Amino acid sequence: MQLYNTLSAEERAELIDQAGKQRLTLSFYAYAKIEDPKKFRDDLFLAWNALDALGRTYVAKEGINAQMSVPAENFEAFRETLEAYEFMRGIRLNVAVEHDDHSFLKLTVKVRDKIVADGLNDETFDVTNIGVHLKAKEFNAILEDPNTIVVDFRNHYESEIGHFKGAITPDVETFRESLPIINEQLKDFKEDKNLVMYCTGGIRCEKASAYFKHQGFKNVFQLEGGIINYAKQIQEEGLESKFIGKNFVFDHRLGERITDDIVSQCHQCGKPCDNHTNCLNDGCHLLFIQCDECKAAMENCCSTECLEITHLPLAEQVKLRRGKQVGNKVFRKGKSEKLKFKHSGELSDQPLAKAQETKDIRQKIKVKKVLLGKAEHYYVKAQIGLFIIENNELNIGDTILISGPTTGNEQLVLEKMLVNGKENSVAKVGDKVTFEVPFRVRLSDKLFKIIS
């Protein structure tokens, strides 16, 4: 009985490309009393794995919080797996306004103490006494009321690229930080102001609205379904968007556009830009905004220091990052002295530029290919790439694809290669292969063979 992933992200991406079927990105949550989260988790994994559903889900005794990628043809079957549980019957699924077949490349379902890290003691107040839910049209109307205070309950790296006009955007790195800050900031307005809150998909506001009602706020409202549902409703109903810019999302897309306004800057050069990236240096993984020009010049890195590290042999890179916190700490690193044009806290509602239709350099080429191996080194002066073959065979005359987040997708026909230091026409699993590559190769690059 398979209860965990057995494929790498690269292998899963390959299968998705070969299938050629549309996938939907969606999110949902539900607060409920779950007696056995471990069994609940395992049952969900088995049901979703059978439907080729991918994503990241947290379950706890208090409920479920999920962001998913589901084949469009399996959407209704996926809904049935949820509605098998009474507390999820009729559950709202927030379907993204922009889809990417690679938004998630693994299925992870984890048991946690809480489905959102809010730092609250739920025993001290009634978590079911929540604020009034507002649909998009109602939300727009209440924003026009001079007695309304609207608060963004997301983090600084989320609000920087997009937010509702006139919103308070706390300069925080975690949701739990924002609660006492807002409580103190608005303590004199508990009786006579409308406290209107929003977040990405609504889950943070469910708990926050109950907390602020417990703190004595009389008129508490929340955006139903968050920004994701708001974007869908304004499209369907032809409403004006009071939200400007991009909505940050926690998948490979890192954002979906709500309006064509760009309200943030490249953190390296200051050019209007709202595309997030993670520093390519595995010992850093800084989350920051980077324009295409800086991406090319800095090779996906946040600084010259990190750029130099990515050019070192892999063994030296591993040695340098020992003891450093990366991975799940990536979003906590959104503030750095390296980021000269980083803005957070009080943000402007004035657009800096309009987004243009451009080719996404992160987009993967839709061709049938098989993964051969990965880059081990690139000899700059000689323009020679070193690769390790981990799967299949490589032959002279093969059309190959070298792909990576900075390199993009580069194809060439293999005319000559050295296999384990000697010229040969065939390379097999375990072999080290070198051949001429007329462009820079990075350690994050993968080597594929085009099969059609």
Side-chain angles (χ1 to χ4, degrees):
M1 183 168 60
Q2 182 188 335
L3 291 172
Y4 299 92
N5 277 285
T6 57
L7 297 177
S8 68
E10 291 81 7
E11 290 170 328
R12 179 69 70 176
E14 175 64 21
L15 289 177
I16 290 173
D17 287 345
Q18 290 179 6
K21 296 179 180 179
Q22 183 190 9
R23 300 182 68 90
L24 303 177
T25 302
L26 55 93
S27 62
F28 62 92
Y29 67 89
Y31 280 99
K33 187 176 181 180
I34 299 175
E35 295 292 344
D36 189 347
K38 174 63 168 60
K39 183 180 185 304
F40 179 59
R41 176 261 172 217
D42 291 349
D43 290 343
L44 288 179
F45 190 96
L46 290 171
W48 292 350
N49 193 49
L51 296 175
D52 193 25
L54 306 172
R56 179 176 54 246
T57 298
Y58 299 135
V59 299
K61 289 187 174 182
E62 68 173 359
I64 181 171
N65 179 19
Q67 295 86 42
M68 304 292 296
S69 169
V70 180
E73 64 183 15
N74 292 342
F75 181 75
E76 290 304 324
F78 178 79
R79 183 189 291 277
E80 289 176 6
T81 68
L82 305 180
E83 296 193 343
Y85 300 91
E86 185 175 354
F87 74 90
M88 287 195 285
R89 287 173 188 164
I91 191 170
R92 181 186 63 248
L93 301 180
N94 288 331
V95 180
V97 293
E98 293 181 353
H99 295 289
D100 181 340
D101 290 346
H102 299 110
S103 59
F104 289 101
L105 295 174
K106 289 185 178 181
L107 174 59
T108 57
V109 186
K110 296 183 178 180
V111 176
R112 292 283 178 88
D113 291 333
K114 286 194 170 189
I115 55 176
V116 175
D118 51 41
L120 297 175
N121 180 357
D122 295 353
E123 302 299 323
T124 61
F125 66 101
D126 184 358
V127 296
T128 67
N129 184 23
I130 61 176
V132 178
H133 282 201
L134 299 175
K135 297 187 183 299
K137 188 174 182 178
E138 299 166 324
F139 194 81
N140 279 0
I142 203 169
L143 292 186
E144 298 296 330
D145 188 332
N147 286 320
T148 290
I149 298 174
V150 60
V151 180
D152 190 327
F153 276 97
R154 301 173 303 151
N155 304 322
H156 64 84
Y157 52 85
E158 300 175 80
S159 58
E160 184 178 11
I161 61 170
H163 49 269
F164 279 97
K165 297 176 183 177
I168 295 174
T169 52
D171 187 9
V172 296
E173 295 185 5
T174 63
F175 171 52
R176 69 173 67 191
E177 290 178 62
S178 64
L179 297 173
I181 291 174
I182 294 301
N183 191 37
E184 175 63 24
Q185 189 173 343
L186 303 181
K187 63 183 180 181
D188 296 329
F189 303 104
K190 294 183 178 182
E191 297 285 340
D192 57 344
K193 295 291 186 180
N194 298 320
L195 175 58
V196 180
M197 55 187 67
Y198 70 90
C199 57
T200 306
I203 187 170
R204 283 176 269 192
C205 292
E206 288 289 298
K207 189 66 70 72
S209 66
Y211 170 78
F212 282 103
K213 289 186 74 173
H214 174 69
Q215 292 296 319
F217 287 84
K218 302 300 183 185
N219 307 303
V220 180
F221 303 85
Q222 62 192 93
L223 179 58
E224 183 180 71
I227 301 164
I228 297 173
N229 197 41
Y230 178 87
K232 183 180 179 182
Q233 289 181 1
I234 62 172
Q235 281 188 356
E236 292 175 346
E237 300 175 29
L239 303 174
E240 175 192 0
S241 177
K242 300 289 187 180
F243 185 95
I244 54 174
K246 259 185 176 180
N247 180 30
F248 186 95
V249 292
F250 292 86
D251 58 54
H252 288 279
R253 296 172 298 155
L254 292 179
E256 57 180 15
R257 185 159 299 286
I258 308 301
T259 71
D260 61 1
D261 302 296
I262 297 177
V263 297
S264 52
Q265 297 172 274
C266 171
H267 286 160
Q268 292 177 319
C269 72
K271 176 182 176 180
C273 178
D274 53 14
N275 292 325
H276 275 104
T277 191
N278 286 124
C279 181
L280 190 63
N281 175 16
D282 285 336
C284 176
H285 274 183
L286 179 72
L287 179 77
F288 67 109
I289 298 173
Q290 187 178 49
C291 68
D292 289 350
E293 289 79 4
C294 288
K295 179 178 286 292
M298 297 298 294
E299 300 178 19
N300 266 66
C301 293
C302 68
S303 64
T304 53
E305 176 188 1
C306 284
L307 178 60
E308 291 170 358
I309 290 174
T310 62
H311 291 170
L312 295 173
L314 182 58
E316 290 187 40
Q317 292 189 46
V318 172
K319 187 182 298 183
L320 286 173
R321 65 176 180 260
R322 278 179 189 154
K324 291 189 177 182
Q325 292 180 323
V326 291
N328 290 335
K329 296 292 183 183
V330 66
F331 297 120
R332 295 184 64 98
K333 292 175 143 185
K335 295 178 185 176
S336 167
E337 293 180 357
K338 301 173 184 176
L339 307 180
K340 298 179 181 178
F341 297 92
K342 166 72 183 172
H343 300 291
S344 55
E346 188 174 341
L347 300 173
S348 172
D349 293 338
Q350 297 302 314
L352 301 176
K354 294 293 184 180
Q356 303 294 320
E357 287 285 341
T358 56
K359 181 181 178 182
D360 185 355
I361 62 174
R362 301 172 180 82
Q363 185 178 5
K364 295 178 171 62
I365 290 179
K366 303 296 184 183
V367 295
K368 288 189 176 182
K369 57 189 185 294
V370 60
L371 179 66
L372 293 176
K374 61 184 180 182
E376 182 73 12
H377 194 67
Y378 183 69
Y379 302 93
V380 179
K381 292 184 178 180
Q383 290 191 312
I384 297 292
L386 170 61
F387 299 84
I388 297 178
I389 304 300
E390 299 176 336
N391 179 54
N392 216 284
E393 287 188 358
L394 176 63
N395 297 273
I396 294 296
D398 284 343
T399 299
I400 58 175
L401 172 71
I402 298 174
S403 178
T406 302
T407 304
N409 297 283
E410 298 285 352
Q411 288 190 33
L412 55 89
V413 176
L414 188 62
E415 298 178 348
K416 180 181 178 180
M417 66 176 171
L418 298 182
V419 181
N420 299 324
K422 297 180 180 180
E423 188 169 348
N424 206 327
S425 61
V426 181
K428 298 183 178 181
V429 175
D431 288 342
K432 290 188 175 182
V433 179
T434 53
F435 51 84
E436 186 175 347
V437 183
F439 49 85
R440 183 181 290 276
V441 172
R442 286 89 178 173
L443 291 179
S444 58
D445 289 350
K446 305 296 183 183
L447 176 65
F448 298 87
K449 176 163 63 176
I450 305 299
I451 56 177
S452 67

